[in-house]
Amino acid sequence: MLRELYDYRQMIVSLVQKDLRGRYKGSFLGFLWTFINPLFQLIIYTIVFSNIMRMGIDKFYMFLFVALVPWIYFSANLQNGATSIIDNKEMVSKIYFPRLVIPLAYNISCFVNMLFSFVVIFAVIIVTGFGVNIKALLFLPVIMIIEFLLATGISFITSALTVYVRDLKHILQIISMGWMYLTPVIYPPTMVPEKYRTLFNLNPMTPIVNAYRDILYYKQVPAMQTLIQATAFGVVLLVIGYFVFQKLQKGFVEEL
Amino acid sequence: MSKENAIEVTSLKKTFKVYPDKSNSVKEKVLFWKRNKYEKKEVLKGISFEIKKGEAIGLIGKNGCGKSTTLKLLNRIMYPTSGKIKVEGKVSSLIELGAGFHPDMTGLENIYINASIFGLTKKDIDAKLDDIISFSELGDAIYTPVRTYSSGMYMRLAFSVAINVEADVLLIDEILAVGDVNFQKKCFKKLNEIKYSGATIVIVSHSLDQIEEICDRCIWIKDGLLEMTGKPKEVHGAYLKSMEEDRRRLSEDMKNAENSDVYDRESFCGRPVVRSGTGDVMFTDVNITDKDGKENTLFKTHDTIKVTYDILNPKNVKEAVVYVRLYRDDNAHAFGTTSVIEKEGLMKLEGRNKVVLTFKDIHLLDGNYMVDVDLKDENEVAYDCIHDTIRFDVYNTEGRTGMCMIDTDIETC
């Protein structure tokens, strides 16, 4: 299977290109939207949580920004990746290719978008003189890859299920909103009451967001336990996602 | 799998679920779970065959017999309910062309996208790019967005990409109707080249001629089962015979059906025709002549045509209205009239045994035309109505085109 995916690498590249190029085609600000959307979310949350509901966190905008960008990637992939198979109905029902290519390509294009957003993060870090820890920074690609694996596993499941249950898309919007508040994106994990901690840590996005924040905000190497936990979640979901997808994909054409 | 085989299919079955009322949302699945009942429709009932490497195979059969399903299963677009399919080597399909074309991108960009869907790498595509572009005959149009293409250009581009994927197995579904005649010829030539280069080809087509031209062997699928396999000519002979029998059985059934209004009386027209009426007066024969009474079916514009029907009048019907209609063979209605219009009344039938239609100085241009004729009473109750009783051809030598002759004067002033 991996070999076949490798054979179809050009298809993945084409789809990613098409998606990135098609995403903002015909819009006035074009590619700038990649930056504007997270920037505005950042501004809104910063205003709310530094001035209205004061969190008392130093440089809250940085605290939020380094977690929000990875979260936006994850939730975009969660919500829109789900419809990726249906959106490519024409192709799926007419030509053979490994079906995994489609959610994978969509995921990669979201991932590339996140990378562009990281350019903005680093710009802010440099402009404000926030500073970085080079040693910690080495772990940034690692945590990105782990998040990518997790997102891939989840999008395999959601994209395949959506073919059978079309309104999963709407359900996922609600889930995505709830999930964000259950993940320490806008607040530090220490604010979670002790008795809910264990439950809270079962959220696969928790160790990932914590790791991003460790690296970029606290400027320290993330705890090994955090990384192991994140990797375990990522790999397990990827494997489950793969098998669910392969099982469900046999009926795609008849369901579409 | 045997070494010399490219495709092995063993007791292949495919069942579709047919939902009378399908629901795809959670709400409907929960609320109307009773609606999720489905009927099973078995399209393939256990087919086995082998195709050798380098063989070209035609799949034939009536609509809905399962031949396209077989092709989709071979292509792994769908999966069998049971049975095995083994295909060796890289598969390319000309089943649906132009999948993944993006209208806003240029032809060139779309070549890359489309070819990548067939599993080609950038390097492969670069190597074939010139072939693809020259085959498509698009020239500089390759640099303009696909949305500006005519449908012919679009199909040519799509076909060029698909046919230049160097596949070991090529699956084709009824697509050799791409572009103009010249392009079709080119496609055929290319297919033959592909065949001689050692690729295995499977074609689904209704055009038996196309299959005979390319294929070494033909597989006939009937009602989801393999009916016959062998040399195209032999299989086609048997297939056509069976189709003819089906047709005859169908018209028998119609005849036997009670109170049936449509039936096929002894077919004096030389082929089965659609016919209805009470039969109180009946047409029994037809012939077509020129104005001197010489039998003829080929006429020039401005000729006179005489069509004579013999009639049988067992109930001694006194009078009837005659309706006449002319159709060109593409079902364009060329002309229609009745005896009420032409003769201001009913035609006397008592003691007469012929109806003669004379078309004087016909203004029809080139084409194959058919004559419909009806006999009805004054209340339009039909005695006998026949569609397509006889055909004739018209030609003109002056080079005028269209369906009918219009006296035209062209002058400058």
Side-chain angles (χ1 to χ4, degrees):
Chain A
M1 192 62 215
L2 275 179
R3 164 123 216 119
E4 206 182 12
L5 273 182
Y6 180 72
D7 285 343
Y8 278 82
R9 61 192 179 280
Q10 181 62 35
M11 179 176 181
I12 298 178
V13 173
S14 303
L15 284 179
V16 171
Q17 279 175 349
K18 189 165 124 179
D19 191 62
L20 287 176
R21 241 193 293 175
R23 191 172 288 197
Y24 302 110
K25 200 152 200 168
S27 66
F28 182 59
L29 289 170
F31 197 64
L32 281 177
W33 281 113
T34 310
F35 307 120
I36 293 169
N37 190 358
L39 221 54
F40 270 86
Q41 285 197 44
L42 180 73
I43 291 168
I44 292 164
Y45 285 126
T46 306
I47 290 171
V48 171
F49 292 105
S50 336
N51 298 308
I52 303 169
M53 294 173 66
R54 279 179 219 157
M55 303 285 272
I57 290 168
D58 185 35
K59 294 209 166 95
F60 182 77
Y61 66 94
M62 267 318 285
F63 174 86
L64 179 63
F65 204 12
V66 299
L68 188 63
V69 167
W71 173 261
I72 288 173
Y73 155 60
F74 182 78
S75 88
N77 186 54
L78 177 70
Q79 291 180 40
N80 305 329
T83 54
S84 59
I85 300 277
I86 306 180
D87 294 342
N88 287 289
K89 189 172 169 171
E90 288 282 293
M91 249 196 303
V92 173
S93 55
K94 287 173 177 176
I95 286 200
Y96 173 80
F97 54 84
R99 274 44 170 129
L100 285 170
V101 162
I102 288 183
L104 197 58
Y106 186 78
N107 191 359
I108 292 173
S109 90
C110 289
F111 188 78
V112 171
N113 255 316
M114 174 173 80
L115 293 184
F116 286 125
S117 300
F118 262 90
V119 172
V120 181
I121 291 186
F122 282 108
V124 172
I125 285 176
I126 291 164
V127 169
T128 59
F130 190 81
V132 289
N133 171 355
I134 300 292
K135 202 177 156 210
L137 216 53
L138 291 177
F139 284 87
L140 187 61
V142 177
I143 195 66
M144 281 177 167
I145 290 167
I146 294 171
E147 189 186 7
F148 178 75
L149 295 183
L150 177 75
T152 307
I154 289 177
S155 73
F156 283 172
I157 300 173
T158 54
S159 63
L161 274 177
T162 305
V163 175
Y164 294 86
V165 186
R166 295 294 161 93
D167 48 6
L168 193 62
K169 189 175 96 182
H170 305 292
I171 299 170
L172 283 171
Q173 277 173 4
I174 301 166
I175 290 179
S176 168
M177 193 176 71
W179 200 335
M180 171 162 159
Y181 287 103
L182 291 174
T183 307
V185 176
I186 45 179
Y187 55 85
T190 47
M191 277 180 87
V192 179
E194 199 71 52
K195 55 178 174 181
Y196 299 125
R197 253 337 133 69
T198 329
L199 210 63
F200 187 75
N201 281 334
L202 281 176
N203 172 2
M205 273 308 278
T206 300
I208 289 174
V209 166
N210 285 341
Y212 274 109
R213 195 166 275 146
D214 280 343
I215 295 166
L216 292 164
Y217 181 74
Y218 297 113
K219 292 182 246 177
Q220 62 191 30
V221 174
M224 219 12 106
Q225 202 212 333
T226 313
L227 283 180
I228 291 172
Q229 205 189 340
T231 315
F233 277 132
V235 171
V236 167
L237 267 161
L238 183 63
V239 171
I240 295 175
Y242 174 79
F243 284 106
V244 169
F245 190 91
Q246 291 298 19
K247 175 92 186 130
L248 292 178
Q249 67 114 346
K250 301 204 166 180
F252 277 178
V253 172
E254 283 138 83
E255 288 291 330
L256 280 171
Chain B
M1 186 161 175
S2 147
K3 262 237 160 84
E4 54 184 13
N5 285 341
I7 298 173
E8 276 181 16
V9 172
T10 331
S11 47
L12 182 66
K13 285 187 186 175
K14 180 70 191 174
T15 308
F16 288 105
K17 292 173 183 174
V18 183
Y19 295 85
D21 191 358
K22 173 127 202 218
S23 61
N24 254 334
S25 73
V26 172
K27 182 194 89 187
E28 285 172 6
K29 279 201 171 153
V30 173
L31 288 181
F32 311 118
W33 55 275
K34 275 187 184 159
R35 275 194 204 163
N36 284 307
K37 280 183 186 161
Y38 55 82
E39 284 166 32
K40 283 191 171 172
K41 191 175 169 229
E42 201 173 31
V43 175
L44 293 176
K45 299 168 183 164
I47 287 187
S48 306
F49 58 84
E50 287 173 2
I51 297 173
K52 290 195 175 56
K53 280 180 185 157
E55 233 184 344
I57 297 285
L59 283 179
I60 58 165
K62 273 199 296 195
N63 285 330
C65 75
K67 55 189 189 314
S68 289
T69 304
T70 309
L71 210 63
K72 281 185 178 160
L73 290 167
L74 286 175
N75 197 16
R76 289 176 296 170
I77 290 175
M78 288 196 278
Y79 290 79
T81 311
S82 73
K84 267 187 200 147
I85 297 180
K86 283 184 190 165
V87 181
E88 175 131 330
K90 188 174 169 53
V91 181
S92 170
S93 68
L94 299 182
I95 294 184
E96 295 280 350
L97 294 168
F101 269 20
H102 196 293
D104 284 335
M105 295 192 181
T106 66
L108 193 66
E109 289 169 316
N110 272 301
I111 290 178
Y112 278 93
I113 294 174
N114 194 231
S116 74
I117 298 174
F118 288 107
L120 266 63
T121 60
K122 186 155 187 309
K123 221 170 75 190
D124 297 337
I125 305 170
D126 286 338
K128 290 190 184 111
L129 196 59
D130 289 341
D131 287 348
I132 294 175
I133 295 174
S134 75
F135 195 88
S136 71
E137 298 172 7
L138 283 173
D140 286 340
I142 204 82
Y143 301 108
T144 56
V146 164
R147 71 182 134 78
T148 63
Y149 286 17
S150 68
S151 60
M153 289 160 80
Y154 186 93
M155 291 309 283
R156 282 203 319 259
L157 181 64
F159 192 86
S160 306
V161 177
I163 209 160
N164 279 297
V165 176
E166 270 165 30
D168 301 308
V169 178
L170 187 61
L171 307 172
I172 305 174
D173 190 359
E174 209 74 72
I175 42 80
L176 295 174
V178 181
D180 53 28
V181 181
N182 282 331
F183 191 73
Q184 276 188 38
K185 270 189 196 152
K186 213 164 96 174
C187 292
F188 262 97
K189 220 181 118 208
K190 181 79 187 173
L191 270 185
N192 270 316
E193 275 173 39
I194 290 173
K195 188 182 148 191
Y196 288 117
S197 71
T200 310
I201 300 177
V202 182
I203 301 177
V204 162
S205 180
H206 282 113
S207 163
L208 302 181
D209 295 341
Q210 282 182 356
I211 290 185
E212 276 170 30
E213 198 169 325
I214 296 180
C215 298
D216 311 308
R217 204 150 60 91
C218 186
I219 293 174
W220 169 16
I221 298 174
K222 190 178 178 185
D223 301 329
L225 288 167
L226 199 129
E227 178 80 8
M228 189 177 171
T229 165
K231 288 232 175 319
K233 279 245 186 282
E234 292 162 15
V235 177
H236 293 172
Y239 172 65
L240 289 173
K241 213 172 131 193
S242 145
M243 293 280 276
E244 186 61 41
E245 272 165 20
D246 282 356
R247 233 188 332 252
R248 203 169 304 151
R249 201 169 311 126
L250 198 71
S251 57
E252 292 275 307
D253 289 351
M254 276 178 154
K255 224 187 278 184
N256 296 339
E258 234 176 308
N259 298 329
S260 163
D261 210 27
V262 180
Y263 50 92
D264 176 28
R265 258 169 247 166
E266 74 276 34
S267 179
F268 63 85
C269 306
R271 65 189 170 279
V273 291
V274 179
R275 193 167 179 180
S276 60
T278 59
D280 290 352
V281 189
M282 267 192 291
F283 295 106
T284 55
D285 202 3
V286 61
N287 65 73
I288 185 163
T289 63
D290 62 15
K291 60 181 190 298
D292 306 320
K294 225 176 88 196
E295 258 190 55
N296 190 13
T297 58
L298 181 63
F299 301 94
K300 268 199 325 210
T301 305
H302 296 306
D303 276 359
T304 292
I305 304 175
K306 256 184 169 169
V307 182
T308 310
Y309 293 94
D310 291 348
I311 52 168
L312 204 64
N313 189 357
K315 301 232 165 125
N316 262 320
V317 174
K318 286 196 173 76
E319 290 172 320
V321 184
V322 178
Y323 291 72
V324 181
R325 290 176 303 275
L326 295 181
Y327 286 92
R328 200 166 58 187
D329 60 356
D330 59 357
N331 277 324
H333 184 29
F335 177 69
T337 188
T338 69
S339 59
V340 177
I341 297 167
E342 305 299 333
K343 292 275 179 191
E344 293 176 23
L346 298 157
M347 303 301 296
K348 214 173 164 221
L349 291 183
E350 224 175 356
R352 309 203 168 162
N353 54 15
K354 277 188 204 306
V355 173
V356 184
L357 312 173
T358 310
F359 303 108
K360 287 174 213 151
D361 182 20
I362 51 160
H363 278 54
L364 295 171
L365 291 180
D366 300 28
N368 182 253
Y369 295 86
M370 45 194 163
V371 188
D372 282 18
V373 69
D374 302 344
L375 273 176
K376 294 180 180 173
D377 74 4
E378 62 266 64
N379 301 318
E380 295 201 8
V381 175
Y383 295 125
D384 198 2
C385 303
I386 311 179
H387 173 59
D388 192 8
T389 55
I390 199 156
R391 293 192 179 206
F392 59 88
D393 289 292
V394 179
Y395 70 100
N396 83 91
T397 46
E398 287 92 8
R400 295 188 180 97
T401 61
M403 192 192 298
C404 77
M405 172 72 201
I406 296 172
D407 246 331
T408 307
D409 192 18
I410 303 177
E411 51 188 347
T412 57
C413 49

